Amino acid sequence: MTDRRLITALDLPTTNDAEALVETLGEACAHYKIGLQLLPIGGMDLARSLKARGHDVFLDFKLHDSPATVEKATRSITQAGADLLTVHAEPPVMRAAVEGREGSDLRILGVTVLTAYDDPMLTQMGYAYGARDLVMRRVDQALDCGLDGVVASPQEAEAIRARVPDDFLIVTPGVRPAGAALGDQVRVATPEAALKAGASHLVIGRPISQADDPFAAAQAIADEMAKA
Ligand code: C5P
């Protein structure tokens, strides 16, 4: 059985490239993330097509707009039948997304603090909290707003898991098998460490898509996850 806790990020230039990777991965992966790179060039059709073939689909669109717009956008997005959607973890935005998904199986994840931001950047932007405190505050707000989970760094997963119910999703990018190139990821953990810290799903992009043998790379990660 394919481990659907492994989400491969389709951060690729075209939907043809994405389809080719899905084909190559075969049974090694059944859960795919489509983000803003593919959204304007066929990403929604790709989502429908992946769903029609039995895959799970995570739409990482990070919605952030006025509540009425987020609600209507979320309602439109439910038509693709995807499983997960991200919105920024601000209470009015989160509540609007929860309204918009009503009647569908779409689960809403809050993006707490982008991993690209550090404490000095948050201060400069006018926030009164450092990254870790802001993440925890937003986790509590996500729970209050009825979200299904959050996206967070694996290094925050343990502290988040301690304050949320077992079925609350913690989806972590920044996962690197031992020895893999970090790329621009800074706060990383291995697949085993991320799961042990309480992550429910791992989002992995380049260690799979840029591997010489993507199938073998995904299979090795799935094997490590099975042991965690
Ligand atoms: O680094 P990798 O290719 O595994 O990226 C997987 C996902 O991690 C990306 O689709 C993006 O959403 C997220 N990411 C991040 N911080 C970065 C780079 C990517 O959270 N610095």
Side-chain angles (χ1 to χ4, degrees):
M1 262 286 270
T2 309
D3 189 338
R4 289 177 183 252
R5 296 175 304 169
L6 170 60
I7 306 176
T8 299
L10 296 172
D11 296 329
L12 296 164
T14 70
T15 53
N16 283 345
D17 295 316
E19 287 282 14
L21 180 61
V22 171
E23 175 80 24
T24 301
L25 294 184
E27 294 289 307
C29 185
H31 200 160
Y32 289 96
K33 180 169 88 83
I34 297 171
L36 294 176
Q37 186 176 6
L38 289 181
L39 172 63
I41 50 170
M44 292 307 284
D45 286 341
L46 176 65
R48 286 187 191 87
S49 154
L50 290 173
K51 281 304 293 178
R53 283 175 277 158
H55 295 299
D56 288 342
V57 173
F58 170 12
L59 298 176
D60 187 15
F61 296 165
K62 297 186 175 69
L63 302 186
H64 188 197
D65 207 323
S66 64
T69 302
V70 169
E71 181 180 338
K72 286 183 269 188
T74 304
R75 189 157 299 131
S76 299
I77 287 167
T78 61
Q79 292 171 19
D83 301 275
L84 299 170
L85 170 71
T86 47
V87 302
H88 280 272
E90 292 174 8
V93 172
M94 294 192 283
R95 279 193 287 269
V98 168
E99 285 284 315
R101 69 93 184 268
E102 216 177 272
S104 78
D105 293 330
L106 182 65
R107 294 198 280 180
I108 310 292
L109 302 175
V111 177
T112 52
V113 176
L114 295 178
T115 55
Y117 294 168
D118 58 16
D119 290 355
M121 290 167 81
L122 291 171
T123 303
Q124 200 266 335
M125 284 185 258
Y127 285 94
Y129 295 87
R132 198 174 171 85
D133 289 342
L134 189 55
V135 167
M136 297 309 154
R137 186 178 174 86
R138 287 182 162 175
V139 167
D140 294 345
Q141 291 173 337
L143 272 173
D144 282 349
C145 292
L147 255 66
D148 302 286
V150 291
V151 179
S153 137
Q155 297 185 3
E156 286 144 9
E158 194 169 356
I160 294 172
R161 185 51 76 200
R163 57 207 294 147
V164 299
D166 288 350
D167 61 354
F168 193 76
L169 305 179
I170 302 176
V171 178
T172 61
V175 178
R176 288 291 181 270
L182 298 190
D184 60 350
Q185 296 277 11
V186 185
R187 305 182 62 217
V188 301
T190 63
E192 184 184 3
L195 289 178
K196 285 195 167 145
S200 61
H201 295 80
L202 311 183
V203 175
I204 304 185
R206 289 162 291 183
I208 294 173
S209 62
Q210 306 304 313
D212 291 337
D213 182 345
F215 177 84
Q219 198 59 61
I221 291 166
D223 290 346
E224 183 179 336
M225 291 170 69
K227 287 188 216 128

